């Protein structure tokens, strides 16, 4: 089968921005004018959903002869995406080929600064400011910004959680060197000039750098039974992921020009020319080294994506999370919880300091408040914990308390077991290392909390009652 390349843009963009990319590929022997296509979608149409985008993509692929009527491949597709395009192609593959991946026409995906786990700017895009600066100026739909797509792009969105459980947290992920070869490149720098006012920590100006990688981990803490159960799932998605100095969300595309040599241009060519699993591994090792150099003197972030549900998997939308520090003592530990009831003045000081550091970049999703997100600088946290250990003169316990208020007098959550859950104990005054750790730098870690919802409004007895 012949090879075809498809370029998919991001939110508030169009294929016009990728003319230079197409010409660059042609000049370097990757396809021809007739084999490199643009995929466009009206990203600022408020009624457009991700389902609409992938439905349209499937229909257009059939019309262009990329797949037959049953979706079977007629060509080998290389897909290059930017930003929101990462979510689009992942959704497309999981929806139409998740249960028959051997029939998927997509053989290779190259993601440029993909929004796999959200963007802090999505919330701004839905605001009045976003409507003014990014809205559509067409009669009848003035100020439309693509609200439903932005809901999916918002940090800790239900859509991202749903999609991750369809293509990442599965028994056999298909993003690997033997099935769909996937290459993810993102810049390490924010915007300059006037646009730098939108820069957020740990981003390339638009997307969360640690949220571009899809090699994620999930923890589930289940408090609904008699005993707390903690499970850990690391499916081991196998992708090439690299962070490049000198690029931001826009320049990683703009630096690809006809007749110009650039780092990102060469990496795209390298990725497209990979044929074997061995070549994939070699490029992966190269990008690992580049990423290590990128972060040699910079902070490394980890994004946490939390969801709270009850024993019927219904969202728990009102809850708070607090972090605490205690001097380590075995007598304070019982069944994974801290039993010490009061903090010393120094423990309180460090609890407030570390809680503030961990939750500095905290976000509650606007469409469903059971989903929360926070961003942690791993190097900074390590320094604070080491300083804390020195000050307290011992190893420490980092714990978390989860508080869920009552619904009313008769409906409540059983919260006794949610108090002072041990997250980690330091080892020799530093963060512990090991195969199963809470901290996975440069990743998004999902955490699902399951709590028991109970009621006093239902009784069973031998004697009748009158209400």
């Amino acid at each position: 089968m012949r090879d075809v390349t498809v370029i998919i843009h991001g939110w508030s963009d169009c294929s016009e921005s990728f003319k230079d990319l197409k010409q660059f590929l042609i000049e370097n022997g990757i396809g021809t004018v007739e084999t490199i296509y643009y995929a466009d979608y009206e990203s600022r149409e408020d009624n457009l959903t991700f389902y609409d985008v992938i439905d349209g993509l499937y229909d257009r692929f059939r019309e262009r002869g990329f797949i037959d009527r049953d979706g079977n491949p007629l060509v080998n597709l290389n897909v290059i995406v930017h930003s929101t395009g990462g979510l689009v192609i992942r959704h497309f593959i999981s929806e139409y080929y998740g249960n028959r991946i051997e029939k998927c026409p997509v053989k290779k995906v190259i993601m440029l600064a993909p929004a796999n786990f959200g963007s802090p700017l999505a919330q701004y895009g839905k605001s009045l400011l976003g409507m003014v600066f990014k809205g559509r100026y067409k009669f009848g739909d003035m100020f439309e910004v693509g609200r439903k797509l932005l809901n999916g792009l918002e940090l800790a969105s239900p859509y991202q959680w749903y999609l991750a459980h369809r293509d990442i947290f599965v028994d056999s992920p298909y993003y690997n060197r033997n099935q769909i070869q996937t290459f993810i490149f993102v810049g390490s720098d924010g915007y300059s000039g006037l646009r730098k006012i939108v820069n957020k920590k740990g981003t390339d100006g638009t997307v969360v750098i640690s949220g571009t990688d899809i090699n994620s981990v999930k923890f589930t803490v289940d408090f609904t039974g008699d005993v707390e159960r903690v499970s850990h799932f690391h499916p081991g998605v196998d992708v090439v992921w690299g962070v490049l100095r000198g690029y931001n969300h826009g320049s990683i595309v703009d630096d690809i020009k006809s007749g110009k040599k650039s780092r990102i241009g060469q990496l795209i060519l390298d990725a497209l020319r990979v044929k074997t699993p061995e070549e994939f591994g070699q490029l992966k090792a190269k990008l690992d080294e580049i990423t290590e150099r990128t972060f040699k003197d910079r902070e490394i972030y980890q994004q946490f994506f939390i969801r709270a549900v009850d024993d019927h998997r219904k969202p728990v939308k009102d809850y708070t999370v607090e972090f605490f520090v205690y001097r380590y003592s075995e007598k304070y530990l019982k069944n994974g919880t801290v039993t010490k009831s009061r903090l010393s003045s120094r423990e309180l000081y460090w609890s407030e300091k570390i809680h503030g550091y961990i939750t500095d970049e905290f976000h509650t999703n606007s469409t469903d408040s059971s989903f929360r997100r926070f961003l942690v600088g791993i190097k900074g946290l390590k320094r604070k914990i080491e300083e804390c250990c020195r000050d307290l003169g011992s190893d420490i316990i980092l714990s978390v308390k989860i508080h869920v208020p009552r619904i009313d007098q008769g409906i409540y959550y059983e919260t006794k077991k949610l108090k002072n859950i041990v997250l980690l104990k330091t080892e020799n005054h530093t963060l512990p290392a090991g195969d199963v750790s809470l901290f996975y730098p440069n990743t998004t870690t999902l955490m699902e909390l399951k709590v028991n919802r109970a009621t006093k409004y239902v009784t069973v007895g031998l004697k009748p009652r009158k209400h």
Side-chain angles (χ1 to χ4, degrees):
M1 290 189 287
R2 67 189 180 112
D3 289 343
V4 168
T5 300
V6 176
I7 303 170
I8 305 177
H9 63 79
W11 174 77
S12 188
D13 205 351
C14 61
S15 59
E16 181 75 15
S17 301
F18 297 86
K19 292 191 302 181
D20 285 337
L21 172 57
K22 177 171 179 173
Q23 186 59 35
F24 173 82
L25 295 176
I26 294 170
E27 290 176 356
N28 287 277
I30 306 295
T32 66
V33 173
E34 290 78 24
T35 63
I36 302 176
Y37 289 78
Y38 302 110
D40 274 286
Y41 56 101
E42 298 285 348
S43 64
R44 286 176 289 177
E45 167 58 56
D46 272 350
N47 290 317
L48 189 75
T49 68
F50 280 99
Y51 284 95
D52 292 320
V53 177
I54 66 164
D55 182 79
L57 203 60
Y58 187 82
D59 290 343
R60 302 296 88 76
F61 280 6
R62 286 198 305 178
E63 293 166 4
R64 286 290 179 180
F66 300 164
I67 53 178
D68 65 20
R69 291 185 60 183
D70 298 318
N72 299 311
L74 300 175
V75 300
N76 292 320
L77 283 182
N78 298 320
V79 181
I80 303 175
V81 302
H82 180 235
S83 197
T84 308
L87 290 169
V88 169
I89 196 60
R90 285 176 52 211
H91 193 170
F92 173 85
I93 293 170
S94 68
E95 180 73 14
Y96 296 110
Y97 299 98
N99 294 323
R100 51 169 188 157
I101 201 64
E102 71 282 355
K103 298 295 184 181
C104 183
V106 180
K107 304 304 179 185
K108 190 169 293 187
V109 177
I110 298 174
M111 299 184 177
L112 304 178
N116 285 317
F117 284 103
S119 166
L121 297 191
Q123 185 74 356
Y124 296 128
K126 294 184 286 184
S127 68
L128 178 61
L129 185 67
M131 287 187 282
V132 170
F133 286 100
K134 288 291 189 178
R136 302 172 69 202
Y137 294 96
K138 289 174 60 180
F139 182 77
D141 60 6
M142 186 171 287
F143 300 140
E144 289 199 21
V145 294
R147 191 167 302 276
K148 291 182 179 178
L149 293 184
L150 286 172
N151 284 341
L153 283 168
E154 185 182 342
L155 295 174
S157 76
Y159 173 74
Q160 294 161 30
W161 184 279
Y162 161 80
L163 184 56
H165 284 80
R166 293 192 64 177
D167 68 349
I168 299 174
F169 297 107
V170 294
D171 290 335
S172 300
Y174 39 77
Y175 292 111
N176 61 66
R177 64 189 68 193
N178 295 302
Q179 290 179 295
I180 300 178
Q181 293 184 341
T182 305
F183 308 83
I184 303 172
F185 306 122
V186 61
S188 64
D189 302 345
Y191 296 121
S192 58
L194 291 176
R195 297 186 71 189
K196 68 182 180 181
I197 63 172
V198 302
N199 289 339
K200 294 286 187 180
K201 288 192 302 186
T203 73
D204 68 348
T206 295
V207 299
V208 181
I209 295 169
S210 57
T212 60
D213 194 0
I214 58 173
N215 189 15
S216 302
V217 181
K218 181 184 177 184
F219 289 89
T220 301
V221 187
D222 189 346
F223 303 100
T224 61
D226 295 332
V227 180
E228 169 197 331
R229 291 176 295 174
V230 180
S231 60
H232 167 268
F233 186 25
H234 189 186
V237 171
D238 182 18
V239 300
V240 172
W241 183 79
V243 185
L244 313 174
R245 287 198 179 206
Y247 289 114
N248 61 38
H249 194 70
S251 64
I252 201 166
V253 172
D254 297 339
D255 199 38
I256 305 168
K257 301 286 186 183
S258 174
K260 177 182 178 180
K261 291 185 178 180
S262 65
R263 286 178 297 150
I264 185 59
Q266 186 59 52
L267 286 171
I268 291 174
L269 295 178
D270 291 344
L272 288 168
R273 289 167 179 161
V274 165
K275 299 298 182 184
T276 66
E278 291 74 24
E279 291 173 346
F280 182 96
Q282 291 166 6
L283 186 56
K284 182 171 184 175
K286 176 182 177 179
L287 266 296
D288 287 346
E289 291 179 3
I290 291 174
T291 301
E292 185 176 353
R293 291 197 300 270
T294 295
F295 288 107
K296 185 176 181 179
D297 56 357
R298 298 189 183 195
E299 181 60 278
I300 299 175
Y301 290 92
Q302 179 179 1
Q303 182 171 237
F304 288 87
F305 188 167
I306 303 177
R307 185 193 187 198
V309 296
D310 65 19
D311 46 323
H312 295 285
R313 301 200 64 79
K314 299 299 181 183
V316 176
K317 296 188 176 184
D318 186 9
Y319 64 97
T320 57
V321 177
E322 293 181 280
F323 296 91
F324 292 89
V325 167
Y326 295 87
R327 286 185 176 89
Y328 171 71
S329 176
E330 192 67 35
K331 66 181 180 181
Y332 296 143
L333 300 179
K334 183 179 180 180
N335 298 326
T337 61
V338 182
T339 59
K340 186 177 180 181
S341 58
R342 297 184 64 182
L343 293 126
S344 69
S345 61
R346 297 309 294 169
E347 288 172 334
L348 180 60
Y349 168 81
W350 281 105
S351 293
E352 292 174 348
K353 197 174 182 69
I354 290 179
H355 172 83
Y357 183 80
I358 292 176
T359 60
D360 181 53
E361 286 285 330
F362 197 88
H363 178 79
T364 300
N365 186 264
S366 65
T367 62
D368 186 341
S369 60
S370 68
F371 292 91
R372 314 281 174 91
R373 172 264 194 186
F374 57 92
L375 188 74
V376 179
I378 300 301
K379 291 182 179 179
L381 180 63
K382 182 179 180 181
R383 287 193 298 269
K384 289 186 184 301
I385 284 179
E386 290 172 350
E387 185 181 352
C388 172
C389 289
R390 288 195 300 269
D391 183 46
L392 297 180
S394 71
D395 276 317
I396 64 166
I397 300 163
L398 178 64
S399 69
V400 62
K401 289 184 180 181
I402 303 163
H403 176 67
V404 188
R406 303 176 70 92
I407 304 299
D408 60 25
Q409 290 301 311
I411 303 175
Y412 58 96
Y413 294 96
E414 294 181 344
T415 60
K416 186 177 181 181
K417 290 182 289 185
L418 307 185
K419 302 294 179 67
N420 261 344
I421 307 156
V422 176
L423 294 177
L424 63 87
K425 182 190 81 67
T426 61
E427 297 174 358
N428 299 318
H429 294 192
T430 192
L431 291 176
D435 294 333
V436 179
S437 168
L438 181 66
F439 297 105
Y440 291 85
N442 277 327
T443 66
T444 296
T445 298
L446 276 62
M447 301 184 72
E448 186 168 40
L449 309 174
K450 298 181 179 180
V451 298
N452 194 49
R453 179 166 168 155
T455 180
K456 296 179 180 178
Y457 290 142
V458 178
T459 61
V460 176
L462 296 173
K463 296 182 179 180
R465 293 183 61 186
K466 183 177 181 181
H467 297 283

